[in-house]
Amino acid sequence: AQLIQLLVVIPFVALGAGIGYLLGVPDGAVLALVIMVLLALGSIASGMLTEPFVAGVLALLYVDRRMRAEGLDLVIGRLRMAQRPAVRLPGAPVPLPGGGW
């Protein structure tokens, strides 16, 4: 994720330096400001791309750890089986509301 962030930020920094060079800004403070603004925009763009991926990986690792340590997969499986509606075969008698057939 950090490599992808770096690859996204580098063009923004290069663009900032190129703009400053093409404009021929004699003042170093203005050039630094342009580079910082573009660096901030690049950081925001790279964060929007990589942070959801990192969060997903961390969540997956957390659930995997709980499944291995606590048997979370077995607990989830039992809960799903308990909540599953009964399967009715075609032509099978349907119980009446009072409990009779």
Side-chain angles (χ1 to χ4, degrees), residues 18-84:
I19 288 173
Y21 178 74
L22 291 176
L23 293 177
V25 179
D27 187 12
V30 174
L31 178 60
L33 180 65
V34 170
I35 292 175
M36 285 178 44
V37 167
L38 286 172
L39 178 63
L41 291 174
S43 297
I44 291 169
S46 66
M48 286 173 42
L49 292 174
T50 58
E51 290 303 318
F53 172 74
V54 172
V57 168
L58 290 176
L60 181 65
L61 288 173
Y62 172 75
V63 170
D64 180 63
R65 176 69 182 128
R66 287 204 52 198
M67 283 185 180
R68 291 174 191 264
E70 303 171 14
L72 181 65
D73 54 340
L74 301 174
V75 172
I76 292 172
R78 281 190 216 118
L79 287 174
R80 289 192 64 200
M81 291 299 287
Q83 293 175 352
R84 181 176 293 171

